[in-house]
Amino acid sequence: MRETPRSQGTAGETGSEHPQHRPGRAIAHTTGASGSGTPHRSDGRSPQTPRGARQTDHGGRPGTTPPVPGRPAPLLFLLPLLLAVLAFVTWQVAADGPLRRLDERIGRSAAGHGPGRLTEFLADLGNMQVALPVLGCAVVYALVRGARRLPLYAALAMAAVPALVVPLKDWIGRTGPLTGETGYYPSGHATTAAVAYGAAALLIAYRTTPSKRSWMMPVAAVLLTVATGIGLVLRGYHWPLDVLAGWCLSGLLLVALSWSSGRSRRRQPPK
């Protein structure tokens, strides 16, 4: 008699009976089964808890999915540095230290240089009539984009400028480069420009999809702030340390505002 052809799965077995299940052996060698040369989990089917897709924390351990809010922004570490610089400069100016004398020599030599119209224009960037409309437009833009708390925080940061600058002016009582009047330290114009343009950049960047042009607004804010300080010194309206102190004050406010912006981003996903 001709033997009944045996299937490929029973090749090498003796007898023509159906294959019996043996302990430790798979009944059929299918893709992804044990003994087939591939893992038990099919490569074409995503696992329910993919370990490779889970994000890791700072220590390299598997994290949660989705990730939990991280630590405070690294910008917060600038706060001690800004406070230290402001305290040191204020001490030197108030105590008539060597840094103040050097500052006044540099200020006298720099005053009057540069094109008059250009330096006057740069100094005017710190006027409330110029800086506040820029910030107001950014506040409206952020409100339209769905921001609620951050515009309020930006307005509070701007309102804090005179609350911080005026008492320091009265306490230090520094005279200006061209006049004998007091109340020039720190520079209110430099502080106003930095807070207005920096806060505007944060408001415009809020809930905006990151792109290759995301760097443009922060860079523009820095350039406008630096240009304002240069104009104030070249026109003889302020000493260089007046401007530096104003930047330190504005930096404190902007770091707090940036931290608030980061918390708002984590609470509410971008549109």
Side-chain angles (χ1 to χ4, degrees), residues 107-108 110-112 116-127 169 174-179 181-190 228-240 242-243:
R108 290 191 185 96
R117 292 184 178 180
L118 177 60
T119 55
E120 184 71 24
F121 171 77
L122 296 179
D124 288 341
L125 292 175
N127 289 340
K169 284 180 177 289
R174 190 181 193 185
T175 57
L178 301 179
T179 66
E181 299 178 357
T182 61
Y184 281 79
Y185 178 92
S187 171
H189 284 71
T228 304
I230 292 175
L232 291 171
V233 173
L234 293 181
R235 291 300 296 170
Y237 294 152
H238 278 285
W239 305 107
D242 301 345
V243 174

Side-chain angles (χ1 to χ4, degrees), residues 23-257:
R25 297 289 301 273
I27 295 179
H29 294 292
T30 57
T31 303
S34 175
S36 62
T38 59
H40 288 279
R41 181 178 289 121
S42 173
D43 292 337
R45 179 171 58 90
S46 59
Q48 294 180 354
T49 56
R51 181 175 296 273
R54 295 174 65 184
Q55 301 188 9
T56 59
D57 57 11
H58 297 286
R61 297 181 297 273
T64 58
T65 305
V68 297
R71 297 179 179 179
L75 286 177
L76 288 180
F77 295 103
L78 288 175
L79 291 176
L81 176 62
L82 293 171
L83 285 172
V85 173
L86 179 62
F88 177 74
V89 171
T90 302
W91 167 60
Q92 284 290 297
V93 172
D96 196 13
L99 186 60
R100 172 174 176 167
R101 293 191 288 271
L102 175 63
D103 175 56
E104 292 179 354
R105 286 198 299 268
I106 295 175
R108 290 191 185 96
S109 62
H113 287 74
R117 292 184 178 180
L118 177 60
T119 55
E120 184 71 24
F121 171 77
L122 296 179
D124 288 341
L125 292 175
N127 289 340
M128 285 288 187
Q129 296 84 347
V130 179
L132 280 185
V134 174
L135 180 59
C137 293
V139 166
V140 173
Y141 174 82
L143 289 173
V144 172
R145 295 285 295 174
R148 292 297 178 263
R149 295 185 178 181
L150 191 60
L152 175 61
Y153 296 155
L156 292 176
M158 180 55 66
V161 170
L164 295 174
V165 170
V166 173
L168 272 176
K169 284 180 177 289
D170 295 337
W171 177 47
I172 301 299
R174 190 181 193 185
T175 57
L178 301 179
T179 66
E181 299 178 357
T182 61
Y184 281 79
Y185 178 92
S187 171
H189 284 71
T191 311
T192 298
V195 172
Y197 302 133
L202 288 174
L203 289 171
I204 293 175
Y206 179 77
R207 299 192 60 174
T208 300
T209 303
S211 63
K212 295 181 179 179
R213 299 180 181 179
S214 299
W215 57 270
M216 295 179 65
M217 289 307 301
V219 170
V222 171
L223 291 178
L224 289 173
T225 300
V226 173
T228 304
I230 292 175
L232 291 171
V233 173
L234 293 181
R235 291 300 296 170
Y237 294 152
H238 278 285
W239 305 107
L241 287 184
D242 301 345
V243 174
L244 179 60
W247 287 347
C248 289
L249 280 175
S250 60
L252 295 173
L253 296 173
L254 290 175
V255 167
L257 184 61

